Amino acid sequence: MFYSILKFIISTSLRVFFRKISVYDNDRSPDNGPVIFVCNHPNLVIDAWLVGMTCNRRLFFLAKSTIFKGKFATWLLTNLGIIPVYRKQDNPEETIKNENTFIKAYKILENEGAFLIFPEGISVAERRLNKIKTGAARIGFGALKNIDWSQDITIMPVGLSYSDVIKFKSDVVIKYGNPIRLNDYKNDYLKNEFDTVKSITNKIELALRNLTTNVNIVESEQVVSALESIYKKELMLELGLDAKNTSDEFTATKGLVNGVEWYFQNKPDQVERFKTMLASYQQKLDLLQIKDEFLNPNTKSITLIDRILMYLYMIIGLPIYLYGILTNFIPYKAPRWVAMKYNSARSEIASIKLVVGMAVFGTYYGLGIYIFHGLFNNTVYTITYALTLIPAGNFVLSYVRRIRRYREHLKFLTMFYQKTQIVNQVKDERKALISFLDQARETYMRSNSEEIQS
């Protein structure tokens, strides 16, 4: 009961925190039977909650022992089904306690339960997968030995890809992979335990790489990020992909990652040339204080009708904006202030924002509803007021974003008319950059085609 209530609260909070949560292929996950979910780990607490929300199973979790601080935290985490893992880097003397951790994990699987493990062992908000540890495979095979291989145990890979790992109202894509059924490897395991555990671990790593937009070559991250900013939308348009479809966007990003890493491995001189061109172009954008999107020929220009509609939107939306500020400003700012005050690691920032936000928003909204009901003493009015709080907060963010973008666009138009020659030079530089990327894509596609044919 406690788990179900908390899951509802957390799921609701996640849907408010993220602008969009896109889930793919979670129907591949078994509805019953013992399952070990394995997932990449860029976001300290949120990762576990997202998997728990979307996997349709009552989950137990394996987490580092250092979060069990104090009696209340220990009680809460235990009731949430979190089992401590004692890591060597935290305290080498406590690793012996992992024997008890393994016993608990075996018991969950023997009772046809499910738990989540992060095989990287650490949470780092970087666009790469850290070395995968063997714990998931070892626990799975260990449990099978305990029950004399009488049932199957499934390892279920899950990939998380965030549009921004720390930002409120960002997007996240959750992709479920193909299940790995450990009973299929019984004979291999009985012949050679070590090699079979290593083989399954390699399969987990490959699956997580395919399910995320992480890079394999660390140095390529900067190039991939630049391409996402200046080239992905044009690429998707050319390929007939829908920029609003998260599956298409994931496919495009994955293609960019693969292409960039191919160039790093096969044509590093071309990578360096691109970096030089990109640095020159970015420097000019910074000097002019304009964004690349306004130089994109596909960007719609502002017409007189657009201006009239925007001013009407600003005027009509102003009362709602002021209402949203009044009811949401303090709880919106408080989580950010707490996260920055404690100088948290990037992998912790979003989780702190979410946890603090749940507490602050709940308290602030609860107090506001109580005061409102005390003033008007009308249940219908109070319910209506309560239902407007979250939409009003969302409207504030949308209102500010639209006006800011409109002002930036006007600023660009002013810049264009005042410094036409300079802006045209930058536009020509952008065309050269896009032309270079188009040629690079053709070379990459041709190379891939030749490899497939051979």
Side-chain angles (χ1 to χ4, degrees):
M1 186 66 178
F2 178 76
Y3 180 89
S4 299
I5 293 171
L6 200 58
K7 181 178 178 179
F8 172 77
I9 294 171
I10 290 172
S11 298
T12 303
S13 301
L14 287 170
R15 290 189 175 93
V16 171
F17 186 86
F18 288 101
R19 186 182 66 171
K20 190 173 185 180
I21 299 174
S22 302
V23 187
Y24 296 96
D25 300 321
N26 60 332
D27 57 340
R28 293 176 176 175
S29 173
D31 292 329
N32 48 60
V35 181
I36 303 173
F37 290 89
V38 290
C39 182
N40 61 312
H41 200 19
N43 223 328
L44 188 64
V45 173
I46 290 178
D47 298 336
W49 289 355
L50 285 170
V51 178
M53 181 181 82
T54 58
C55 72
N56 302 318
R57 294 291 298 268
R58 198 291 189 205
L59 270 189
F60 292 86
F61 307 90
L62 267 62
K64 60 184 181 180
S65 61
T66 51
I67 65 173
F68 288 77
K69 295 179 179 178
K71 291 183 179 179
F72 176 75
T74 301
W75 172 84
L76 178 63
L77 295 171
T78 302
N79 278 275
L80 284 173
I82 299 177
I83 303 168
V85 175
Y86 299 89
R87 305 185 304 174
K88 188 175 181 180
Q89 61 261 43
D90 297 325
N91 189 340
E93 295 179 0
E94 289 195 327
T95 55
I96 193 173
K97 295 181 181 179
N98 282 328
E99 291 181 16
N100 190 43
T101 298
F102 273 64
I103 291 171
K104 289 180 179 178
Y106 294 159
K107 199 68 179 175
I108 292 168
L109 296 174
E110 288 169 20
N111 292 331
E112 299 195 357
F115 67 81
L116 169 67
I117 186 170
F118 297 107
E120 293 172 275
I122 56 174
S123 177
V124 180
E126 295 177 355
R127 194 172 183 161
R128 61 184 174 87
L129 198 65
N130 290 284
K131 182 176 175 59
I132 299 298
K133 294 177 171 55
T134 59
R138 287 165 56 207
I139 291 172
F141 282 121
L144 282 173
K145 283 176 65 178
N146 274 8
I147 58 175
D148 197 26
W149 304 85
S150 60
Q151 59 180 320
D152 200 0
I153 290 177
T154 301
I155 291 181
M156 193 71 212
V158 185
L160 301 176
S161 299
Y162 295 90
S163 62
D164 191 316
V165 78
I166 67 172
K167 191 176 179 182
F168 177 59
K169 288 301 179 185
S170 58
D171 301 330
V172 59
V173 174
I174 308 168
K175 292 180 74 72
Y176 284 73
N178 292 315
I180 302 170
R181 305 190 188 283
L182 294 186
N183 248 346
D184 293 344
Y185 302 89
K186 176 182 177 180
N187 292 334
D188 294 336
Y189 183 79
L190 293 176
K191 289 177 184 177
N192 191 321
E193 293 184 13
F194 179 83
D195 285 350
T196 307
V197 166
K198 185 178 179 181
S199 174
I200 295 299
T201 302
N202 290 338
K203 288 181 183 293
I204 292 171
E205 181 172 343
L206 180 61
L208 293 181
R209 290 195 186 283
N210 290 333
L211 293 168
T212 62
T213 55
N214 289 328
V215 299
N216 302 317
I217 302 172
V218 177
E219 294 79 9
S220 68
E221 181 177 354
Q222 181 183 2
V223 176
V224 171
S225 297
L227 291 180
E228 284 184 301
S229 175
I230 68 174
Y231 190 59
K232 187 166 76 171
K233 285 185 179 179
E234 293 187 27
L235 177 65
M236 293 182 71
L237 184 65
E238 187 174 337
L239 296 176
L241 300 176
D242 183 359
K244 294 181 180 180
N245 184 301
T246 51
S247 181
D248 283 356
E249 189 172 3
F250 179 92
T251 300
T253 301
K254 196 67 179 174
L256 288 176
V257 170
N258 293 338
V260 168
E261 295 194 336
W262 182 87
Y263 266 90
F264 264 84
Q265 293 171 338
N266 296 279
K267 294 181 180 292
D269 56 321
Q270 293 289 79
V271 174
E272 292 306 315
R273 184 183 169 195
F274 171 74
K275 285 182 177 179
T276 302
M277 295 173 68
L278 177 66
S280 172
Y281 175 64
Q282 190 61 58
Q283 185 181 34
K284 290 180 175 62
L285 290 182
D286 293 342
L287 286 172
L288 293 174
Q289 295 184 327
I290 57 177
K291 291 185 176 181
D292 168 81
E293 62 180 293
F294 298 125
L295 297 175
N296 189 327
N298 296 315
T299 300
K300 182 184 174 185
S301 73
I302 298 177
T303 64
L304 178 61
I305 294 177
D306 291 331
R307 295 187 182 217
I308 293 172
L309 290 175
M310 176 54 72
Y311 289 132
L312 285 173
Y313 172 78
M314 291 168 63
I315 294 169
I316 295 172
L318 183 61
I320 306 173
Y321 166 78
L322 294 175
Y323 172 72
I325 285 287
L326 179 66
T327 54
N328 288 272
F329 183 78
I330 292 177
Y332 173 72
K333 286 292 184 180
R336 301 176 76 188
W337 178 82
V338 172
M340 297 307 166
K341 177 178 174 59
Y342 289 97
N343 197 26
S344 307
R346 277 179 59 82
S347 62
E348 300 174 358
I349 291 175
S351 296
I352 292 174
K353 285 181 179 179
L354 179 59
V355 172
V356 174
M358 287 168 62
V360 176
F361 270 96
T363 303
Y364 192 84
Y365 281 177
L367 183 61
I369 293 168
Y370 176 78
I371 293 172
F372 185 94
H373 188 68
L375 290 173
F376 295 94
N377 197 27
N378 185 298
T379 303
V380 175
Y381 287 174
T382 302
I383 292 173
T384 303
Y385 167 76
L387 292 175
T388 63
L389 293 175
I390 292 177
N394 288 337
F395 179 81
V396 169
L397 296 175
S398 174
Y399 187 80
V400 170
R401 189 161 46 244
R402 286 188 63 178
I403 292 176
R404 184 178 293 156
R405 191 179 187 283
Y406 177 74
R407 290 175 62 186
E408 288 173 348
H409 205 155
L410 287 180
K411 181 181 177 181
F412 167 73
L413 291 175
T414 302
M415 176 77 67
F416 180 79
Y417 290 122
Q418 291 179 349
K419 301 180 180 180
T420 304
Q421 187 175 357
I422 297 175
V423 174
N424 281 333
Q425 287 176 359
V426 180
K427 291 177 75 173
D428 289 339
E429 196 164 332
R430 187 184 192 279
K431 286 180 184 177
L433 194 60
I434 297 300
S435 176
F436 176 86
L437 291 171
D438 285 338
Q439 291 175 17
R441 179 168 62 90
E442 289 177 11
T443 301
Y444 169 67
M445 297 297 291
R446 187 165 55 249
S447 173
N448 271 7
S449 178
E450 290 172 357
E451 286 180 12
I452 292 172
Q453 291 176 0
S454 62

